């Protein structure tokens, strides 16, 4: 029972700022309460909060233009390829470049649909040791936990979806042909694996959004959108007010 209670307590702490954390600690019962928040609710509230946060992130990015219309996350040609991109545009092949850029972002948006179950699996596997590490970490400790636990699975899930999207406009073939030739004469070769580049950028975008959600859960009571979350965190908020 002590280990179970410790896990629940640590789990709640990872979603709280310093002031709110102390208030939650003060309001927690030794084990259970009658008519109040018990440890089962606390554990369920944590998992629900993390699930909602990661699902929100995936839903935003998998929506039409989730990547393409996001100025921060839109996937463009890599910096080392900009000279080649400029040359292609100057010789009238700008539409080819535009199609490739659109395909990269559409592939990332489609791939993001597969992120939620991967995050949910990581949430289920969170141990007491994981929770302690997150508790002692910084503002993005939960996001960093997800990076460690899900990057490989996300890459495996994303890559074929992105490769298919790029293949529909022959972007992969054009990229490989153009930059294989370019690399023969360049001192700074470009990665000819376009799918790998887009997959990496798509995963970076997912974790950027997860980080934003983590900050909301830590700092903004309005982000606790269900009755269970309101119950779990309500006592701490009442004390602060």
């Amino acid at each position: 029972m002590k280990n179970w209670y410790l896990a629940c307590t640590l789990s709640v702490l990872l979603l709280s700022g310093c002031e709110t954390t102390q208030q939650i600690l003060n309001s927690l019962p030794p084990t259970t309460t009658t008519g109040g928040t018990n440890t089962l609710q606390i554990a369920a509230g944590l998992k629900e909060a993390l699930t909602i946060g990661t699902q929100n992130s995936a839903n935003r990015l998998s929506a039409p233009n989730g990547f393409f219309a996001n100025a921060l996350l839109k996937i463009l040609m890599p910096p080392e390829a900009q000279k080649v991109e400029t040359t292609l545009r100057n010789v009238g092949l700008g539409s080819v470049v535009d199609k490739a850029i659109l395909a990269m972002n559409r592939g990332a948006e489609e791939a993001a649909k597969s992120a939620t179950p991967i995050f949910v699996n990581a949430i289920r596997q969170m141990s007491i040791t994981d929770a302690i590490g997150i508790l002692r970490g910084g503002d993005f400790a939960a996001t960093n936990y997800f990076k460690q636990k899900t990057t490989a699975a996300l890459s495996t899930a994303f890559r074929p979806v992105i490769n298919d999207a790029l293949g529909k406009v022959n972007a992969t073939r054009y990229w490989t042909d153009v930059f294989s030739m370019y690399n023969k004469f360049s001192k700074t070769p470009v990665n000819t694996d376009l799918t790998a580049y887009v997959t990496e950028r798509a995963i970076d975008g997912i974790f950027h959004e997860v980080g934003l959600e983590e900050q909301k859960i830590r700092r903004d009571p309005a982000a606790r959108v269900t009755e269970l979350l309101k119950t779990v965190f309500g006592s701490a908020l009442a004390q602060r007010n």
Side-chain angles (χ1 to χ4, degrees):
M1 175 61 73
K2 291 182 179 179
N3 287 341
W4 169 247
Y5 174 66
L6 175 61
C8 295
T9 302
L10 290 172
S11 297
V12 172
L13 296 182
L14 81 90
L15 296 177
S16 307
C18 294
E19 181 182 359
T20 304
T21 295
Q22 188 58 52
Q23 292 169 339
I24 291 175
L25 281 170
N26 293 338
S27 67
L28 286 178
T31 53
T32 61
T33 61
T34 57
T37 303
N38 59 45
T39 53
L40 289 176
Q41 287 177 307
I42 291 169
L46 162 74
K47 291 179 184 256
E48 186 172 43
L50 290 176
T51 300
I52 289 172
T54 53
Q55 187 173 32
N56 286 344
S57 302
N59 287 346
R60 279 198 300 270
L61 293 182
S62 63
N65 293 321
F67 275 89
F68 190 71
N70 187 320
L72 289 176
L73 302 182
K74 183 178 180 179
I75 302 174
L76 302 172
M77 294 294 182
E80 62 269 26
Q82 288 178 355
K83 289 183 179 179
V84 178
E85 178 183 350
T86 299
T87 299
L88 291 173
R89 292 189 183 280
N90 288 340
V91 298
L93 295 176
S95 63
V96 175
V97 176
D98 291 338
K99 287 180 180 179
I101 291 174
L102 180 61
M104 290 191 292
N105 287 275
R106 290 291 183 258
E109 291 159 9
E110 184 65 27
K113 295 177 181 178
S114 61
T116 296
I118 294 172
F119 285 125
V120 169
N121 185 56
I123 292 167
R124 289 172 178 167
Q125 295 181 11
M126 185 180 289
S127 67
I128 294 177
T129 301
D130 295 327
I132 292 173
I134 291 170
L135 175 61
R136 292 175 178 174
D139 286 347
F140 296 96
T143 301
N144 291 333
Y145 168 83
F146 284 127
K147 287 182 180 180
Q148 180 185 6
K149 297 296 183 180
T150 67
T151 294
L154 289 171
S155 181
T156 299
F158 282 19
R159 186 178 175 93
V161 177
I162 290 170
N163 190 63
D164 182 63
L166 296 172
K168 290 178 180 178
V169 294
N170 289 321
T172 305
R173 179 170 64 83
Y174 291 144
W175 179 274
T176 301
D177 291 347
V178 169
F179 288 107
S180 292
M181 182 63 67
Y182 173 81
N183 287 344
K184 292 180 180 180
F185 305 99
S186 175
K187 295 180 181 180
T188 55
V190 175
N191 186 354
T192 58
D193 190 344
L194 179 60
T195 300
Y197 166 72
V198 177
T199 298
E200 181 180 349
R201 289 296 309 276
I203 292 173
D204 287 346
I206 284 284
F207 287 133
H208 173 83
E209 293 297 299
V210 169
L212 294 179
E213 286 293 323
E214 179 176 0
Q215 294 308 291
K216 287 181 183 179
I217 293 170
R218 286 180 183 272
R219 300 174 181 177
D220 183 6
R224 300 158 193 161
V225 295
T226 70
E227 289 303 317
L228 178 57
L229 296 183
K230 291 174 183 177
T231 299
V232 169
F233 293 98
S235 58
L237 293 174
Q239 287 186 20
R240 184 165 61 186
N241 296 331

